[in-house]
Amino acid sequence: WLASSSLFPLACVHTRTSLQKSGKWEKKNRVVYPPQLPGEPRRPAEIYHCRREIKYSRDKMWYLAKLIKGMSIDQALAQLEFNDKKGAKVIKEVLLEAQEMAVRNHNVEFKSNLHIAESLTGRGRYMKRIRYHGKGMFGIMNINRCHYFVKLVEGPPPPPEPPRTGFDQAKEYVQQLRSRTLINTL
Amino acid sequence: ESMLRPAGAAPACLVIPVRTKKRFSVPEWARELTPEQKEKRLKSLGAVIPEERIERTFYLACTADIIDPYIPPEGDARLTPLSRDGLKQKMDKLKQTAASQLALRKIKNHDPDFSTKTFPEKAQEIFIEAHNSLANFNKQKLHSLVTERCYPEMVHGNRYKTIRWSFVESLEPPRVVHIRCDSIVNRGNLYGQVTVRMHTRQILAIYDRFGRLMYGGEQVPKDVLEYVVFERYLVNPYGTWRMHGKIVPEWAPPKEPIVK
């Protein structure tokens, strides 16, 4: 029986209390793999890091997360440093923290040898407040917070996928035509 | 109108100021007394409050450090016993130091079964068991074989790593080299510490979180000369000899391990 929020005994089981419980992303760093046999290829190190309850909009943060996805960590840091958005500063701090963690705790040899495999945003806790308008009117405004998750993987960044050309589409179409089977014929 | 003021809106509270007579003075009989006045009053009444001292007992199962650490002779195990210096080292037996003899006598008072001839074998067994349970992360057993001072040293940084350790053979028979007995906090609270010199061959391989080899190798046995300190709480009749720490000689500082 999981302890629910401390406020009311009738609250739902899935509420979050003020004491930070360990989220799923933080637990991913605790996975221990069995030792590799000498013949196997070296498993690349994966480091998961996140920052919770950043005072920024989740949708605005998504643009930065999409920008960074797939870049090497040096390129990502360079892009974020000269980006004018507020979230860029936060993400840069998160990436530097993750890089330091990787070198210190997770046995990563070169700090530049990392690339960003996944970068996601999530919705944090929203607070509702009153926004006062003229003539006694009011609106209910949301104070938005978001989480930011990043997964760094050791190794050079994977090469980008080549875009689908018309020639590729034509080839696939011809392949489809050729793989048809004819029934009830000679 | 219901559109402009939907349900669940901020409640409009009306504050109607009411004029009442202002009372700011508390009558004298209801005022709080200062602590001195309180004490005077209680003394005059004759009430005696016993002093409550909340004592929390704590139990020291081991000392914090190695008492009077043994200084191993220079070049131990690097000179052959055939040369003259090697022979001299061999002559340095336990019986030369008087303090060790005194301590040995004190230990024999509390534990008559102790002897410098049988103890080294038991000590080596404890050593091997402790390292095996470290490799298997058997915390219960490790706590019973290793003192509280040594446990964090052994376990720190190993939580997300896999350790493989095995004992190949002992190159020289272990022997007791140094004994000290000391009491902490109160006189008569005796702890005995015995240093055993072990020259052994061991295999150590540490794998990091992802299963990659970090230090050592599984097929590479290494010759190790160690001075291991064992401790026992002598006054406790159920005390056992447990590993307390290792002495690192100054002429053989630990080298930086090669990270693979």
Side-chain angles (χ1 to χ4, degrees):
Chain A
W1 177 75
L2 293 163
S4 46
S5 68
S6 53
L7 293 168
F8 332 96
L10 295 168
C12 154
V13 190
H14 300 289
T15 47
R16 258 174 301 166
T17 52
S18 51
L19 283 169
Q20 219 354 292
K21 279 193 289 207
S22 200
K24 282 199 263 186
W25 201 260
E26 287 94 334
K27 284 185 196 159
K28 292 194 184 202
N29 260 340
R30 298 195 198 160
V31 169
V32 180
Y33 292 93
Q36 280 182 307
L37 305 164
E40 280 176 29
R42 202 171 145 99
R43 195 182 274 132
E46 292 174 348
I47 298 105
Y48 295 86
H49 193 44
C50 65
R51 192 181 277 208
R52 305 273 182 184
E53 310 278 337
I54 306 167
K55 176 70 195 70
Y56 201 48
S57 161
R58 164 176 51 135
D59 306 319
K60 294 178 195 167
M61 192 69 116
W62 181 83
Y63 286 108
L64 292 162
K66 181 77 183 163
L67 171 73
I68 289 179
K69 222 189 265 190
M71 285 187 183
S72 69
I73 198 162
D74 289 335
Q75 197 189 357
L77 288 168
Q79 289 294 328
L80 290 169
E81 200 181 312
F82 297 102
N83 193 314
D84 294 326
K85 296 191 176 211
K86 174 167 131 177
K89 221 162 129 182
V90 173
I91 296 185
K92 194 168 160 218
E93 283 170 28
V94 173
L95 285 183
L96 288 170
E97 266 176 29
Q99 199 185 41
E100 231 205 275
M101 252 169 54
V103 171
R104 236 182 328 151
N105 302 345
H106 299 275
N107 190 26
V108 164
E109 231 182 308
F110 304 110
K111 65 176 192 179
S112 306
N113 202 20
L114 297 160
H115 69 270
I116 294 162
E118 288 170 19
S119 83
L120 316 162
T121 51
R123 173 191 188 279
R125 254 176 166 181
Y126 286 4
M127 288 201 299
K128 291 205 177 128
R129 293 284 179 268
I130 305 170
R131 194 190 187 284
Y132 301 96
H133 292 273
K135 292 196 186 174
M137 307 294 229
F138 62 91
I140 311 176
M141 85 172 161
N142 258 345
I143 296 198
N144 300 346
R145 292 212 189 93
C146 64
H147 305 309
Y148 177 67
F149 309 97
V150 77
K151 170 177 164 185
L152 298 171
V153 173
E154 208 179 355
E161 256 185 55
R164 245 175 89 110
T165 55
F167 187 67
D168 288 322
Q169 285 178 323
K171 263 203 304 197
E172 273 182 42
Y173 178 61
V174 169
Q175 190 62 39
Q176 254 185 349
L177 293 174
R178 281 186 185 155
S179 59
R180 293 178 295 182
T181 46
L182 303 166
I183 51 170
N184 297 334
T185 50
L186 295 164
Chain B
E1 214 178 298
S2 59
M3 283 267 287
L4 296 169
R5 305 232 169 164
C13 9
L14 295 165
V15 180
I16 308 161
V18 173
R19 286 244 273 177
T20 51
K21 180 171 177 197
K22 289 183 187 171
R23 278 181 175 242
F24 286 123
S25 57
V26 179
E28 225 194 280
W29 49 267
R31 246 173 252 168
E32 274 265 328
L33 299 168
T34 57
E36 297 139 358
Q37 281 177 336
K38 270 189 200 160
E39 265 195 63
K40 253 201 314 189
R41 212 181 243 198
L42 286 168
K43 266 191 203 165
S44 62
L45 288 171
V48 175
I49 310 161
E51 278 198 22
E52 290 173 31
R53 211 182 286 165
I54 307 164
E55 280 182 25
R56 198 160 175 205
T57 52
F58 52 89
Y59 172 68
L60 294 166
C62 70
T63 44
D65 220 347
I66 302 169
I67 305 162
D68 214 1
Y70 170 67
I71 303 166
E74 284 261 350
D76 199 6
R78 294 181 194 197
L79 302 166
T80 57
L82 300 171
S83 68
R84 213 179 64 173
D85 288 322
L87 274 175
K88 265 200 212 165
Q89 273 179 20
K90 268 207 151 184
M91 299 305 280
D92 278 334
K93 280 185 184 174
L94 172 68
K95 293 177 184 165
Q96 284 194 350
T97 33
S100 296
Q101 279 295 309
L102 278 171
L104 179 63
R105 224 172 291 151
K106 267 196 212 168
I107 292 177
K108 283 201 177 161
N109 280 343
H110 289 273
D111 181 17
D113 293 332
F114 183 81
S115 106
T116 42
K117 303 222 168 87
T118 57
F119 183 70
E121 289 161 17
K122 268 198 298 180
Q124 192 157 53
E125 275 167 40
I126 296 175
F127 179 81
I128 296 172
E129 276 287 325
H131 281 80
N132 279 334
S133 51
L134 175 69
N136 300 337
F137 296 136
N138 193 350
K139 285 190 218 173
Q140 316 266 335
K141 215 169 174 199
L142 195 55
H143 267 296
S144 68
L145 293 164
V146 156
T147 59
E148 286 78 24
R149 182 235 179 209
C150 187
Y151 181 81
E153 277 181 17
M154 280 181 105
V155 171
H156 179 66
N158 292 343
R159 207 209 284 197
Y160 301 118
K161 297 192 180 114
T162 328
I163 303 178
R164 293 231 172 111
W165 184 88
S166 72
F167 184 83
V168 179
E169 56 169 359
S170 168
L171 297 168
E172 282 175 22
R175 57 193 172 86
V176 174
V177 145
H178 190 77
I179 306 182
R180 283 286 181 268
C181 213
D182 201 14
S183 32
I184 50 173
V185 183
N186 295 329
R187 243 195 80 181
N189 195 21
L190 278 180
Y191 294 87
Q193 288 182 352
V194 178
T195 313
V196 178
R197 171 194 181 276
M198 294 192 212
H199 194 40
T200 53
R201 193 168 279 169
Q202 297 165 13
I203 288 178
L204 176 67
I206 304 183
Y207 298 89
D208 68 352
R209 230 189 88 202
F210 305 101
R212 313 185 287 198
L213 187 60
M214 249 169 76
Y215 303 128
E218 293 240 19
Q219 317 296 334
V220 184
K222 296 263 182 188
D223 298 340
V224 173
L225 173 66
E226 280 168 335
Y227 299 92
V228 189
V229 180
F230 288 84
E231 197 197 49
R232 181 183 155 157
Y233 190 14
L234 296 169
V235 183
N236 180 8
Y238 306 109
T240 46
W241 286 100
R242 300 187 293 174
M243 219 169 98
H244 191 59
K246 288 190 189 168
I247 294 183
V248 180
E250 278 168 4
W251 40 265
K255 285 175 266 187
E256 271 294 317
I258 310 164
V259 181
K260 294 202 183 128

